[in-house]
C-alpha cells in the first residue's frame, strides 16, 4: 500500500505507486498477476532503489520525519512482547514524549526507553512531536537505574526533533536533566544499546543516547542542531534554499556519522524507507538488537564500562602540535 | 602534556581587553550609567554603579581567580581542524583563522593547574570571545584531559563556563559528542571522590549547559548571567508567549533550585577556597 503522505521528492514514485494501486484494485484476482502489473512493480522497485540509494542530506531528513515512519510504540507492537509501561519521574509528572518500560525481546528481558512522536494530530499533541521535557529525561534515568539494579540491559530508541524548548522546560531544568543523564549513562552498570530510528535532534537525542553500541537506521539523521536552526543562524534565515545547504554542511546522515566514527553500525532499511515496510524494518532491527544483546551480555561490567569510556574518549578531530604554539595564550604566558 | 607555562598576574602581561568598548568612558548596558573605564577594570570588569558583570577574557580571569604567578597552562598544543569541511557563507577554516587572530588563542578553552589562596586546583575556562565560547573537538578534548588530570592528581576541578551556543555547529555531530566525552571524564572524577566546582558566567547555554556546566558538585553563578538550554528565540518561536521577567538568569536558576550560590566576581576566590576546605581536599 502506498504511504499516505508523499514526500516532495517522490513525485515519480508516487505516480507509479498510484498507477500500480489502480491496476491491482481493478484486476480480477482469479486471473492472477498480469504482465503489466509485474512490469510496473519492477519499474517501481528500480525507481525506489535509484532514489533511495542516493538521498541528499535534506531528503534524508524528510524521510526521517515521515509521518508513517515506525516509532517506538510501533516497534513495541511489532517485535517486543509483554511491554509493561512504567510511568512517571517521581517528581513532576509523566512525559508522554518519552516512553519507558519493561519489555521482552525474544529471550531477553530489557528496559525499553524511547521517544514517541505520534502519527495522528491528536497523538502529536499528546507527545509534543517527541520533544521531551525534563520530566522525560528524569523518568528515563530512573528506569535505567532500575534496569541496572536488576541486571537488565537498556535499549534506547531515539526519535526526537530535540528537547522541548519552552518556559516550563527551562524552569524545571532542561539543561540540568540532560547533563545528569549524560554523566550517569556514561557509568550505568548494565549494557546500553542506542538506535536512532528517526530524528536524532541534538541534546534531546543524546539525553538518552550514551551507550555501548550506537546505531542509526539507514535514513535516520543525527545532528548537533536542526537544519532549520543552523540555517537560521549561519544563513540568517531558514528557507527552502538554505535548509538543504545546512543539512548537507552538518554531515548528519548515517553514512556521515559512520565515516566520522561516531556510530558503530548502520541498520539497513527496506527499499523506499522504513515507512513503506514497517514489519520488515522491525525484523531487521530485532536481529540487530539481539546480536548485540548476546554479545554485550558476556562482557563483565567493569570491562564494559571501560570500553564505553574509551568509545567516547576517542571522539573528536584536532591537530596535536609537537611544540607549544606561539599563537596560543602565549603573549600572557611569556610575560 | 607539554612543559609548564606561566600566565603572569602582572599588569605588563595584560592583553587588550575584548568585549569592552575602547575609550576612557564606557556605558553600562544594564544601568546605562557612563562609567570610568579604569574604575570598571579595577573592579574585575564589574560596573561600579550597578554591579553588572562585563565579559572577562579567560586570561584575565585566571589572573583574578588564581594566586599570583601560580598558573601552569596545559595542553597548549591542540589546534582545531575542519573535519566536516564546513562551509556556510564563509569557510569554517577561515572563520577559525580570523578568531585565532582576533583572540590570540588557538581555540576557546584554557586549562591548567594553579592555586587558589594556596589550595592546588585544576582549572578550565571557556572564553566567549572565541566563537562565542562554543565547544568543538579542541574544547572538549582540553576539558576532558583537565578532568582526567584532576582525577589522577586527586585535585579539585574548577570549570568556568561562558558559552553562547553550546556545542559548535561547524564541527557538527563531533561537537555534540564532546558533551558525552567530557561528562564521562567528570563522572570518573566524581567516582574518585574528588570535588568539581562549576562556575557559570554570562552566557552559559545549550550543549555546554546541558553537559559539564551543570554537572558540578557545587554550582556557582555570577549575578545576572544568562543560563539555559534553548535560546530565547527558539522558545518564542515554539510557544509564542511573552517570556517572564528575568527568564534564564542566574537569579531565575537559583529560585528554581538549579544552582547553589550566586557569587559576585570579587568574592569568587574566597568562595571557592571555602568550599574546597569543606570538601576536604
Amino acid at each position: 500500500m502506498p504511504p499516505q503522505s508523499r514526500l516532495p521528492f517522490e513525485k515519480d514514485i508516487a505516480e507509479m505507486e498510484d498507477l500500480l494501486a489502480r491496476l491491482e484494485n481493478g484486476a480480477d484476482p482469479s486471473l492472477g498477476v498480469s504482465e503489466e502489473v509485474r512490469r510496473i512493480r519492477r519499474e517501481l522497485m528500480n525507481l525506489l532503489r535509484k532514489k533511495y540509494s542516493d538521498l541528499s542530506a535534506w531528503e534524508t531528513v524528510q524521510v526521517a520525519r515521515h509521518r508513517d515512519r515506525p516509532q517506538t510504540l510501533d516497534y513495541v507492537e511489532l517485535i517486543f512482547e509483554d511491554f509493561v509501561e512504567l510511568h512517571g519521574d517521581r517528581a513532576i509528572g509523566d512525559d508522554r514524549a518519552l516512553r519507558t518500560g519493561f519489555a521482552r525481546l525474544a529471550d531477553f528481558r530489557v528496559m525499553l526507553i524511547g521517544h514517541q512522536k505520534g502519527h495522528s494530530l491528536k497523538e502529536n499533541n499528546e507527545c509534543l512531536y517527541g520533544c521531551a521535557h525534563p520530566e522525560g529525561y528524569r523518568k528515563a534515568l530512573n528506569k535505567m537505574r532500575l534496569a541496572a539494579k536488576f541486571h537488565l540491559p537498556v535499549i534506547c530508541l531515539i526519535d526526537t526533533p530535540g528537547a522541548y524548548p519552552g518556559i516550563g522546560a527551562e524552569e524545571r531544568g532542561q539543561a540540568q536533566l540532560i547533563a545528569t543523564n549524560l554523566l550517569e549513562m556514561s557509568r550505568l552498570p548494565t549494557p546500553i544499546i542506542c538506535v536512532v530510528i528517526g530524528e536524532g535532534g541534538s541534546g534531546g537525542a543524546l539525553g538518552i543516547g550514551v551507550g555501548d553500541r550506537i546505531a542509526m537506521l539507514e535514513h535516520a539523521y543525527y545532528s548537533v542542531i536542526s537544519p532549520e536552526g543552523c540555517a537560521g543562524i549561519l544563513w540568517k534565515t531558514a528557507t527552502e534554499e538554505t535548509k538543504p545547504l545546512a543539512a548537507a554542511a552538518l554531515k548528519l546522515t548515517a553514512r556521515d556519522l559512520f565515516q566520522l566514527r561516531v556510530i558503530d553500525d548502520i541498520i539497513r532499511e527496506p527499499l523506499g524507507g522504513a515507512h513503506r515496510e514497517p514489519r520488515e524494518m522491525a525484523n531487521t532491527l530485532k536481529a540487530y538488537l539481539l546480536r548485540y544483546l548476546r554479545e554485550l551480555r558476556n562482557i563483565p561490567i567493569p570491562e564494559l564500562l571501560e570500553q564505553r569510556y574509551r568509545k567516547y574518549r576517542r571522539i573528536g578531530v584536532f591537530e596535536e602540535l609537537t611544540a607549544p604554539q606561539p599563537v596560543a595564550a602565549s603573549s600572557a604566558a611569556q610575560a | 602534556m607539554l612543559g609548564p607555562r606561566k600566565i603572569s598576574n602582572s599588569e605588563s602581561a595584560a592583553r587588550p581587553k575584548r568585549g569592552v568598548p575602547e575609550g576612557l568612558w564606557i556605558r553600562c548596558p544594564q544601568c546605562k550609567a557612563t562609567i570610568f573605564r579604569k574604575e570598571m577594570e579595577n573592579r574585575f570588569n564589574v560596573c561600579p554603579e550597578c554591579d553588572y558583570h562585563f565579559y572577562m577574557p579567560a586570561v584575565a580571569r585566571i589572573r583574578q581567580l588564581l594566586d599570583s604567578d601560580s598558573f601552569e597552562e596545559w595542553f597548549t598544543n591542540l589546534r582545531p581542524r575542519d573535519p566536516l569541511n564546513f562551509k556556510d557563507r564563509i569557510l569554517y577554516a577561515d572563520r577559525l583563522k580570523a578568531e585565532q587572530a582576533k583572540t590570540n588563542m588557538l581555540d576557546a578553552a584554557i586549562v591548567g593547574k594553579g592555586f587558589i589562596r594556596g589550595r592546588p586546583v585544576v582549572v578550565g575556562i571557556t572564553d566567549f570571545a572565541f566563537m562565542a565560547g562554543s565547544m568543538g573537538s579542541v574544547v572538549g578534548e582540553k576539558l576532558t584531559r583537565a578532568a582526567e588530570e584532576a582525577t589522577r592528581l586527586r585535585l579539585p576541578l574548577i570549570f568556568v563556563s561562558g558559552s553562547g551556543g553550546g556545542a559548535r555547529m561547524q564541527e557538527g555531530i563531533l561537537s555534540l559528542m564532546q558533551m558525552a566525552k567530557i561528562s564521562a571524564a567528570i563522572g570518573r572524577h566524581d567516582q574518585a571522590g574528588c570535588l568539581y566546582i562549576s562556575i557559570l558566567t554570562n552566557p552559559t547555554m545549550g550543549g555546554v549547559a546541558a553537559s559539564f556546566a551543570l554537572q558540578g558538585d557545587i554550582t556557582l553563578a555570577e549575578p545576572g548571567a544568562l543560563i539555559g538550554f534553548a535560546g530565547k528565540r527558539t522558545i518564542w518561536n515554539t510557544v509564542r508567549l511573552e517570556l517572564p521577567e528575568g527568564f534564564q538568569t542566574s537569579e531565575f536558576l537559583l529560585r528554581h533550585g538549579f544552582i547553589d550560590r550566586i557569587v559576585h566576581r570579587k568574592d569568587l576566590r574566597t568562595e571557592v577556597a571555602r568550599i574546597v576546605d569543606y570538601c576536604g581536599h
Side-chain angles (χ1 to χ4, degrees), chain A residues 234 309 319 321 327 333, chain B residues 6 77 79 89 104 148 190:
Chain A
L234 294 181
Y309 188 83
E319 198 174 344
L321 306 161
V327 201
Chain B
K6 301 285 184 195
N77 59 329
R79 185 155 73 183
R89 290 165 309 150
N104 211 23
E148 288 177 336
D190 171 59

Side-chain angles (χ1 to χ4, degrees), chain A residues 171-192:
Chain A
E171 285 173 341
R172 301 197 294 276
Q174 190 70 283
Q176 177 71 67
L177 273 294
I178 292 175
T180 304
N181 279 21
L182 301 188
L183 193 149
E184 295 304 336
M185 288 183 85
S186 77
R187 61 186 186 187
L188 190 83
T190 195
I192 305 175

